[in-house]
Amino acid sequence: MTVPTRLSELTTLRVGGPARELFEAANPRELVDTALEVWSGGEEWFALGGGSNVVVGDDGFDGTVIRILTRGIDRIDGGGPSTVRLRVQAGEPWDEVVAYTVEKGLAGLEALSGIPGSSGAAPIQNIGAYGQELSGSLVAVEFLDYITGSLEHIPAQELGFGYRTSEFKRGRLGIVVSIDVELADEAALSKPVAYPQLAEALDVELGARVPVARVRDAVLALRRSKGMVLDATDRDTASAGSFFTNPIVGEIFASELPAAAPRWPGDEDRVKLSAAWLIENAGIRRGFSLPGSRAAISSKHTLAIVNTGGATAADVTELARFVQERVRNQYGVTLHPEPVYVGFSD
Ligand SMILES: Cc1cc2nc3c(=O)[nH]c(=O)nc-3n(C[C@H](O)[C@H](O)[C@H](O)COP(=O)(O)OP(=O)(O)OC[C@H]3O[C@@H](n4cnc5c(N)ncnc54)[C@H](O)[C@@H]3O)c2cc1C
């Protein structure tokens, strides 16, 4: 099926012009056949799930969009004692998967409650929040490889997961058709709480295990207070989530930053900084917008750029560049956008 449409209608930031062509795939066979057909034509293409991590340019995308609408959550064999494995089709809305696992008393995804988008996109940037990452529960993905055209079952350990990154993010092209997750089935208790703000909200020590449903409720409440759960009545949620990743820098560089700048140990001798702190301390406050622009910093969360109503993609990218420049001038740190830019020439 081909549907001409403005991509702003299919993205949470609500910006972006039309796609030259858009195909929707509602079952796995259709998804594979559609992708292979589009690829054989040699044209530009990209996969679209929930559109919650993309910024589409105002001129749209001069190529084919493959929109993934496949559904299904199935129990599969494998795993150890007191674990359950699930195979989730790529188009299954992520938060419905989390809700399903929590309802069944399974642990591993509860802190990832409320993240918008599709399950197939979840491994792309290895979604993470409140002390959990997808990679902690993912065992494999079913992947249609763009180069070979074959459908492969790839174990998670071969996917190079890190903070908001994976082999897919680094350029391995293709489509995630389904994902397999392994969850703990232990009296509906969560994984150890690993994030201070969440522990505080739950009124427990870090490392405590509490009913999975309590974790989900606490995470949803925290996320709502930051405009991080999609809500048509809350303009602060017309965003792509956090617009910048937390920068990772060398230890020596980090030691020269003001003592008040939060930092966390990264891999080897790397240090992760708080992008939100850097932005705020570079003088950019919540609610900030450039003159005449309809894009703004969220009034609830410094890291999100929101569409306050009728913003263009140019409004969004101009504000993003302004923020990057301010932080670079003040601290010498380059902030990298988290969402994927689509349909921009530079
Ligand atoms: C309010 C809000 C809060 C958010 N909070 C978080 C958070 O806490 N943590 C976090 O990590 N992220 C967060 N995000 C970002 C986003 O929700 C996730 O990155 C999500 O996984 C994107 O899913 P999607 O289906 O919307 O992807 P899309 O935006 O449709 O696509 C994103 C990228 O993935 C590719 N892609 C999509 N599906 C597939 C597939 N099946 N196979 C191959 N490639 C694919 C696309 O081509 C594109 O490059 C938030 C976003 C919003 C709007």
Side-chain angles (χ1 to χ4, degrees), residues 39 45 47 120 123-125 141-161 165-176:
W39 296 349
W45 66 279
I124 305 299
Q125 71 158 9
V141 305
E142 194 183 5
F143 185 67
L144 185 67
D145 191 295
Y146 175 70
I147 303 294
T148 62
S150 59
L151 199 55
E152 299 165 9
H153 211 67
I154 312 176
Q157 56 272 24
E158 290 175 20
L159 290 171
F161 288 119
T165 194
S166 70
E167 286 302 304
F168 307 123
K169 224 23 206 194
R170 295 186 201 100
R172 184 160 181 176
L173 286 179
I175 289 183
V176 173

Side-chain angles (χ1 to χ4, degrees), residues 48-50 52-53 90-91 116-127 134 176 179:
L48 182 69
S52 63
N53 211 23
S118 63
S119 301
I124 305 299
Q125 71 158 9
N126 184 24
I127 56 169
L134 175 73
V176 173
I179 63 172

Side-chain angles (χ1 to χ4, degrees), residues 61-108:
F61 179 64
D62 189 18
T64 302
V65 174
I66 302 169
R67 187 170 179 225
I68 301 169
L69 298 172
T70 52
R71 302 292 298 259
I73 306 175
D74 296 295
R75 217 172 153 137
I76 55 170
D77 291 339
S82 308
T83 66
V84 167
R85 278 195 185 184
L86 300 175
R87 176 158 300 161
V88 182
Q89 299 303 319
E92 193 67 43
W94 173 255
D95 192 48
E96 291 185 25
V97 177
V98 179
Y100 172 91
T101 62
V102 167
E103 194 195 299
K104 301 275 178 219
L106 303 173

